[in-house]
mmCIF file of all heavy atoms in Angstrom:
data_model
loop_
_atom_site.group_PDB
_atom_site.id
_atom_site.type_symbol
_atom_site.label_atom_id
_atom_site.label_comp_id
_atom_site.label_asym_id
_atom_site.label_seq_id
_atom_site.Cartn_x
_atom_site.Cartn_y
_atom_site.Cartn_z
ATOM 1 N N VAL P 1 98.948 99.382 112.447
ATOM 2 C CA VAL P 1 98.608 98.861 111.114
ATOM 3 C C VAL P 1 99.873 98.720 110.287
ATOM 4 O O VAL P 1 100.124 97.685 109.668
ATOM 5 C CB VAL P 1 97.592 99.775 110.391
ATOM 6 C CG1 VAL P 1 97.489 99.422 108.912
ATOM 7 C CG2 VAL P 1 96.218 99.691 111.053
ATOM 8 N N LEU P 2 100.691 99.760 110.278
ATOM 9 C CA LEU P 2 101.925 99.739 109.499
ATOM 10 C C LEU P 2 102.819 98.578 109.917
ATOM 11 O O LEU P 2 103.339 97.842 109.080
ATOM 12 C CB LEU P 2 102.650 101.074 109.679
ATOM 13 C CG LEU P 2 103.630 101.489 108.599
ATOM 14 C CD1 LEU P 2 102.937 101.655 107.264
ATOM 15 C CD2 LEU P 2 104.303 102.783 108.993
ATOM 16 N N CYS P 3 102.968 98.384 111.206
ATOM 17 C CA CYS P 3 103.829 97.300 111.701
ATOM 18 C C CYS P 3 103.205 95.925 111.470
ATOM 19 O O CYS P 3 103.914 94.973 111.166
ATOM 20 C CB CYS P 3 104.123 97.507 113.174
ATOM 21 S SG CYS P 3 105.198 98.925 113.438
ATOM 22 N N ALA P 4 101.895 95.832 111.602
ATOM 23 C CA ALA P 4 101.224 94.541 111.410
ATOM 24 C C ALA P 4 101.316 94.077 109.960
ATOM 25 O O ALA P 4 101.186 92.888 109.680
ATOM 26 C CB ALA P 4 99.766 94.635 111.839
ATOM 27 N N LEU P 5 101.557 95.011 109.038
ATOM 28 C CA LEU P 5 101.641 94.646 107.630
ATOM 29 C C LEU P 5 103.050 94.249 107.202
ATOM 30 O O LEU P 5 103.350 94.177 106.010
ATOM 31 C CB LEU P 5 101.114 95.787 106.752
ATOM 32 C CG LEU P 5 99.603 95.966 106.821
ATOM 33 C CD1 LEU P 5 99.177 97.207 106.051
ATOM 34 C CD2 LEU P 5 98.884 94.729 106.322
ATOM 35 N N ALA P 6 103.919 93.951 108.160
ATOM 36 C CA ALA P 6 105.243 93.422 107.820
ATOM 37 C C ALA P 6 105.060 92.186 106.941
ATOM 38 O O ALA P 6 105.869 91.911 106.065
ATOM 39 C CB ALA P 6 106.027 93.082 109.080
ATOM 40 N N SER P 7 103.991 91.441 107.171
ATOM 41 C CA SER P 7 103.586 90.383 106.248
ATOM 42 C C SER P 7 102.158 90.719 105.816
ATOM 43 O O SER P 7 101.275 90.864 106.658
ATOM 44 C CB SER P 7 103.661 89.007 106.902
ATOM 45 O OG SER P 7 102.848 88.950 108.041
ATOM 46 N N PRO P 8 101.940 90.924 104.505
ATOM 47 C CA PRO P 8 100.622 91.325 104.014
ATOM 48 C C PRO P 8 99.540 90.335 104.415
ATOM 49 O O PRO P 8 99.798 89.144 104.572
ATOM 50 C CB PRO P 8 100.792 91.340 102.485
ATOM 51 C CG PRO P 8 102.254 91.464 102.263
ATOM 52 C CD PRO P 8 102.911 90.768 103.419
ATOM 53 N N CYS P 9 98.343 90.857 104.603
ATOM 54 C CA CYS P 9 97.203 90.019 104.973
ATOM 55 C C CYS P 9 95.921 90.722 104.575
ATOM 56 O O CYS P 9 95.916 91.925 104.322
ATOM 57 C CB CYS P 9 97.212 89.737 106.468
ATOM 58 S SG CYS P 9 97.058 91.230 107.473
ATOM 59 N N ALA P 10 94.825 89.989 104.534
ATOM 60 C CA ALA P 10 93.516 90.566 104.245
ATOM 61 C C ALA P 10 93.112 91.502 105.385
ATOM 62 O O ALA P 10 93.607 91.392 106.510
ATOM 63 C CB ALA P 10 92.483 89.467 104.064
ATOM 64 N N THR P 11 92.213 92.416 105.092
ATOM 65 C CA THR P 11 91.793 93.416 106.073
ATOM 66 C C THR P 11 91.219 92.779 107.334
ATOM 67 O O THR P 11 91.466 93.254 108.441
ATOM 68 C CB THR P 11 90.770 94.389 105.448
ATOM 69 O OG1 THR P 11 91.335 94.928 104.246
ATOM 70 C CG2 THR P 11 90.431 95.521 106.385
ATOM 71 N N GLY P 12 90.492 91.675 107.186
ATOM 72 C CA GLY P 12 89.944 90.993 108.370
ATOM 73 C C GLY P 12 91.041 90.474 109.278
ATOM 74 O O GLY P 12 90.972 90.601 110.501
ATOM 75 N N GLU P 13 92.079 89.891 108.689
ATOM 76 C CA GLU P 13 93.221 89.408 109.478
ATOM 77 C C GLU P 13 93.960 90.589 110.099
ATOM 78 O O GLU P 13 94.405 90.520 111.244
ATOM 79 C CB GLU P 13 94.160 88.572 108.612
ATOM 80 C CG GLU P 13 95.456 88.176 109.289
ATOM 81 C CD GLU P 13 95.277 87.321 110.544
ATOM 82 O OE1 GLU P 13 94.219 86.675 110.715
ATOM 83 O OE2 GLU P 13 96.212 87.288 111.369
ATOM 84 N N LEU P 14 94.106 91.672 109.351
ATOM 85 C CA LEU P 14 94.751 92.878 109.881
ATOM 86 C C LEU P 14 94.004 93.364 111.125
ATOM 87 O O LEU P 14 94.621 93.686 112.144
ATOM 88 C CB LEU P 14 94.788 93.973 108.817
ATOM 89 C CG LEU P 14 95.305 95.340 109.254
ATOM 90 C CD1 LEU P 14 96.750 95.249 109.720
ATOM 91 C CD2 LEU P 14 95.165 96.344 108.109
ATOM 92 N N ALA P 15 92.682 93.384 111.048
ATOM 93 C CA ALA P 15 91.874 93.806 112.197
ATOM 94 C C ALA P 15 92.144 92.914 113.407
ATOM 95 O O ALA P 15 92.296 93.396 114.530
ATOM 96 C CB ALA P 15 90.389 93.782 111.833
ATOM 97 N N ARG P 16 92.218 91.598 113.182
ATOM 98 C CA ARG P 16 92.515 90.670 114.287
ATOM 99 C C ARG P 16 93.913 90.910 114.844
ATOM 100 O O ARG P 16 94.119 90.864 116.048
ATOM 101 C CB ARG P 16 92.369 89.228 113.814
ATOM 102 C CG ARG P 16 90.934 88.762 113.732
ATOM 103 C CD ARG P 16 90.833 87.280 113.424
ATOM 104 N NE ARG P 16 91.240 86.955 112.066
ATOM 105 C CZ ARG P 16 90.470 87.123 110.988
ATOM 106 N NH1 ARG P 16 89.258 87.613 111.120
ATOM 107 N NH2 ARG P 16 90.912 86.790 109.791
ATOM 108 N N ARG P 17 94.878 91.146 113.965
ATOM 109 C CA ARG P 17 96.256 91.353 114.407
ATOM 110 C C ARG P 17 96.393 92.537 115.352
ATOM 111 O O ARG P 17 97.194 92.495 116.281
ATOM 112 C CB ARG P 17 97.181 91.580 113.210
ATOM 113 C CG ARG P 17 97.471 90.351 112.406
ATOM 114 C CD ARG P 17 98.405 90.657 111.252
ATOM 115 N NE ARG P 17 98.644 89.488 110.438
ATOM 116 C CZ ARG P 17 99.443 89.472 109.386
ATOM 117 N NH1 ARG P 17 100.099 90.560 109.020
ATOM 118 N NH2 ARG P 17 99.598 88.359 108.694
ATOM 119 N N ILE P 18 95.634 93.599 115.091
ATOM 120 C CA ILE P 18 95.802 94.804 115.917
ATOM 121 C C ILE P 18 94.665 95.004 116.910
ATOM 122 O O ILE P 18 94.679 95.957 117.685
ATOM 123 C CB ILE P 18 96.004 96.069 115.052
ATOM 124 C CG1 ILE P 18 94.775 96.366 114.199
ATOM 125 C CG2 ILE P 18 97.260 95.933 114.206
ATOM 126 C CD1 ILE P 18 94.846 97.693 113.478
ATOM 127 N N GLY P 19 93.679 94.109 116.899
ATOM 128 C CA GLY P 19 92.614 94.145 117.896
ATOM 129 C C GLY P 19 91.587 95.242 117.691
ATOM 130 O O GLY P 19 91.130 95.858 118.653
ATOM 131 N N VAL P 20 91.204 95.491 116.425
ATOM 132 C CA VAL P 20 90.173 96.494 116.133
ATOM 133 C C VAL P 20 89.130 95.870 115.219
ATOM 134 O O VAL P 20 89.307 94.760 114.723
ATOM 135 C CB VAL P 20 90.776 97.769 115.474
ATOM 136 C CG1 VAL P 20 91.766 98.456 116.406
ATOM 137 C CG2 VAL P 20 91.411 97.462 114.130
ATOM 138 N N SER P 21 88.053 96.602 114.945
ATOM 139 C CA SER P 21 87.033 96.109 114.018
ATOM 140 C C SER P 21 87.565 96.172 112.583
ATOM 141 O O SER P 21 88.523 96.902 112.286
ATOM 142 C CB SER P 21 85.762 96.959 114.124
ATOM 143 O OG SER P 21 85.998 98.249 113.576
ATOM 144 N N ILE P 22 86.920 95.420 111.707
ATOM 145 C CA ILE P 22 87.323 95.432 110.298
ATOM 146 C C ILE P 22 87.146 96.831 109.712
ATOM 147 O O ILE P 22 87.997 97.313 108.957
ATOM 148 C CB ILE P 22 86.524 94.384 109.492
ATOM 149 C CG1 ILE P 22 86.912 92.978 109.944
ATOM 150 C CG2 ILE P 22 86.754 94.550 107.991
ATOM 151 C CD1 ILE P 22 86.077 91.872 109.322
ATOM 152 N N GLY P 23 86.069 97.515 110.075
ATOM 153 C CA GLY P 23 85.836 98.873 109.577
ATOM 154 C C GLY P 23 86.937 99.834 110.002
ATOM 155 O O GLY P 23 87.393 100.661 109.207
ATOM 156 N N THR P 24 87.380 99.718 111.256
ATOM 157 C CA THR P 24 88.455 100.574 111.752
ATOM 158 C C THR P 24 89.756 100.270 111.024
ATOM 159 O O THR P 24 90.472 101.183 110.591
ATOM 160 C CB THR P 24 88.636 100.392 113.276
ATOM 161 O OG1 THR P 24 87.423 100.790 113.922
ATOM 162 C CG2 THR P 24 89.793 101.212 113.812
#
């Protein structure tokens, strides 16, 4: 999560970036 946020994004995009559910 920390590394994926090198460029900010919405939580849904963050979930896609790291391959987890939005809730996770």
Side-chain angles (χ1 to χ4, degrees):
V1 167
L2 203 62
C3 291
L5 288 174
S7 58
C9 62
T11 307
E13 173 61 21
L14 174 62
R16 282 187 290 281
R17 287 181 182 182
I18 64 172
V20 298
S21 70
I22 293 174
T24 298

